[in-house]
Structure formats: C-alpha cells, structure tokens
Amino acid sequence: MMKLGALEAGGTKMVCAVGNEKGEILEQISIPTETPEITVPRLISFYKDKGIEALGIGCFGPIDVNRSSASYGFITTTPKLAWQHYNITGVLKEALGIPVGFDTDVNGSVLGEHTWGIGRGLDSCIYITVGTGIGVGVISEGRLLHGMLHPEGGHILLQKMPEDTYRGFCPFHENCFEGLAAGPAIEGRWGKKASELSGERKVWELEAEYIAQALVNYTCILSPQRIILGGGVMHQQQLFPMIRARFRELLNGYLKTKELEDLDSYIVPQSLDDKQGVMGALKLGMMELERDT
Ligand code: ADP
Ligand code: ZN
C-alpha cells in the first residue's frame, strides 16, 4: 500500500497526517498556525522520512489554484498577514521532493466526501463548512470547481432578518453569509459561546434561516445533487430539520426533482467523522501523483 501525506491547513491549526490510497489515516498530529517561519519547519519535519509519495494540501484562503499563474500554489490575500503571498506549495514541494497537490480546505472536504463519504457516486455535490468562517467546496460534473479563482461561497449576500440587529463580523460585507452565520457571529450576536446556546430556540431559528437562504442560492446556481454540511456549528444537530423546513418554504415548490422530494437525504451532515478535510487532502495528493506520472 502506498503512503501519502495530507495537510489540512487552517487559520488556527494545521492538521498533518499520513495515510494511504484507501483514505485510511495512519498517523495524525495537529500544530498551531503561527508564522510560516515557525510553522513550516515543523510541517517539514513531520512529513520528511515518512516515506510518503505525494502530499495534498487543503488550505485556508484565498489561495491561487490556477496552474498557469505565476503565483500558483500561494496563499494570496489572506487576512492572516504573516501568510500573505506565501508559496506554501512550492516550499513543501522543494523541501520534500515529491508532488504536492493544492486546493481550498472546502474543496478538500467535498473531495473527501465525494471519494469516501456520502457524496460517493454523485456527479455533483457541495460541502459547506460553518465554523470559524464559512466556505463552500463544489464538485460539478465529477470535478472540483475552480473558475477565475475558486468559489467563495461564504461571502454571498443574504437578506438580513429585520429583527436581527447584529452587524455581521465580515470586514468587507455587512450582510454576507459568513458575517451573519459563522461561529463568531453567533457568539457576537448572543454574547455566549455557540456550544452553550443549544437550548435557545431563537438562536437556531435565525441560524437556520440564514443557512436555508444560502442553500437555496447554491441549489439554484450549482444544482448539486446533495448538500453536505460540516464544521463546528453544525454539531448542533437540531439545525438540520429546521434548515430543511425553511429551505422547502423558501424554494416554494419552484423545482421538482427526485432529490428535492427527500430533503432528509438532500441536506445532510458530513459523514466522515470530521475527517473529510484530511481525507480529501490525501486524495489531492493522490491526484497530483497521477498527474505527475
Ligand atoms: P474551524 O472553522 O476553525 O476549522 P470549527 O469547524 O471547529 O473550526 O469551527 C469553530 C467554530 O464552531 C467556533 O466559532 C465555535 O463557536 C463553533 N462551534 C464549535 N463547536 C460547536 C458546537 N458544539 N455548537 C455550536 N458551535 C460550535
Ligand atoms: Zn463577507
């Protein structure tokens, strides 16, 4: 069996793993995301001497995934200043001497679910993380969707509820999905940790409203066959029935497909025990190895 490296590069932590082409994780550590000077040598020392044939990175962004660009493989305009315009792919490729695959963290997660999880066999599906931020990864016609840059589905603009006086925490938009509905928005609006608000019905009704609005938009634009939701906030399982009910109301019978008849299997939680990101990164490494050979 082949050994592959996987890196789920997040704004607060780096999850580093070694696994195989069956998606099995053999070894995993987590290190804090500090500056590249501090963190990258720790990444290199984890992966070197492990006998891995390729590495895949699912990375926080924005990043450059355009292979014909001079800054392909770079983290670009991130608000994490120490990582701005940093060539994470090139540095690791040089240090490890192996092929390195690179995509967004959420494209990694949708790839993990599409390869080994609840997205298996589908032509199109999307993965949405609702955590410290919000992001959307897209498989369309069997392939990861990129476009001009890559989808930035967390920053779509939503209709704010009139009773919601919270301004939104996104510095760029007053009413984007991430600013209104990611973990920090819940905490900023209600003044408590999101995990401590489980019993507060109003909190989750508003959260489900914003998530449902976003999902209607994704359904209309991307036409996914399944929508997979993950990230810390989605640990609030009571959100799922609320999101499905509001989604149905907002779509208002406009589309009739077999998938939409059964929203319990259309709008679903992640299926890989929160390993979808790191498993997807393994797959990114496998794909890069295939391209190279
Ligand atoms: P990240 O997005 O940084 O990778 P997570 O997906 O774990 O990490 O998201 C962290 C966010 O999720 C925090 O803002 C936190 O408020 C929220 N969160 C974590 N656990 C829960 C929970 N059980 N219920 C609601 N929100 C949670
Ligand atoms: Zn925004």
Side-chain angles (χ1 to χ4, degrees):
M1 188 117 332
M2 177 192 294
K3 271 185 157 185
L4 299 151
L7 170 61
E8 194 180 1
T12 54
K13 64 179 196 292
M14 300 278 178
V15 179
C16 311
V18 173
N20 62 28
E21 70 267 36
K22 288 164 73 183
E24 292 164 342
I25 307 296
L26 308 168
E27 184 184 347
Q28 180 173 315
I29 62 161
S30 174
I31 64 178
T33 304
E34 297 176 75
T35 62
E37 291 69 31
I38 298 170
T39 307
V40 172
R42 299 186 62 188
L43 299 178
I44 293 167
S45 69
F46 174 79
Y47 292 111
K48 73 165 200 254
D49 307 326
K50 290 272 186 328
I52 58 176
E53 291 179 52
L55 172 70
I57 309 174
C59 191
F60 71 93
I63 62 178
D64 189 345
V65 290
N66 177 358
R67 287 181 187 270
S68 60
S69 154
S71 55
Y72 169 74
F74 283 51
I75 299 172
T76 58
T77 53
T78 174
K80 290 195 70 86
L81 298 180
W83 294 85
Q84 266 190 6
H85 308 293
Y86 183 71
N87 185 5
I88 187 166
T89 313
V91 168
L92 290 174
K93 199 175 151 111
E94 174 76 28
L96 301 170
I98 53 177
V100 177
F102 183 62
D103 215 317
T104 63
D105 44 8
V106 278
N107 262 356
S109 294
V110 76
L111 186 62
E113 291 284 357
H114 185 249
T115 311
W116 291 295
I118 198 161
R120 228 172 342 184
L122 299 177
D123 215 36
S124 59
C125 59
I126 65 175
Y127 176 91
I128 302 159
T129 182
V130 186
T132 307
I134 295 183
V136 184
V138 181
I139 298 269
S140 186
E141 301 188 339
R143 302 181 358 157
L144 289 168
L145 184 72
H146 294 116
M148 164 191 78
L149 177 71
H150 48 74
E152 274 289 344
H155 294 267
I156 62 169
L157 305 180
L158 301 181
Q159 192 168 13
K160 202 166 163 181
M161 288 293 99
E163 74 275 15
D164 183 10
T165 55
Y166 179 67
R167 195 193 169 279
F169 76 89
C170 175
F172 299 93
H173 318 109
E174 244 183 82
N175 60 323
C176 74
F177 183 23
E178 174 171 294
L180 293 175
I186 299 174
E187 307 191 345
R189 181 184 291 113
W190 304 99
K192 255 194 196 179
K193 294 192 79 170
S195 55
E196 290 163 9
L197 289 162
S198 305
E200 302 287 333
R201 188 152 181 99
K202 269 169 56 181
V203 170
W204 307 108
E205 268 169 7
L206 185 63
E207 185 68 11
E209 167 70 30
Y210 291 138
I211 295 174
Q213 283 190 25
L215 301 198
V216 167
N217 289 330
Y218 302 141
T219 293
C220 291
I221 294 176
L222 297 164
S223 209
Q225 290 163 303
R226 180 162 284 153
I227 297 176
I228 305 162
L229 289 154
V233 172
M234 298 316 300
H235 290 144
Q236 299 290 325
Q237 291 289 322
Q238 75 274 24
L239 277 169
F240 283 88
M242 296 165 96
I243 292 165
R244 294 180 188 118
R246 191 61 185 135
F247 176 91
R248 188 176 296 287
E249 282 174 7
L250 290 170
L251 200 57
N252 200 20
Y254 177 57
L255 301 172
K256 305 246 188 277
T257 66
K258 70 173 180 351
E259 289 86 351
L260 293 173
E261 263 169 37
D262 179 14
L263 292 189
D264 288 356
S265 58
Y266 188 65
I267 297 170
V268 298
Q270 58 77 26
S271 71
L272 296 171
D273 203 18
D274 285 331
K275 288 185 298 192
Q276 58 277 12
V278 81
M279 290 169 74
L282 272 185
K283 179 72 179 180
L284 286 171
M286 281 166 66
M287 286 161 60
E288 194 65 22
L289 190 61
E290 276 162 28
R291 276 183 76 94
D292 258 42
T293 51

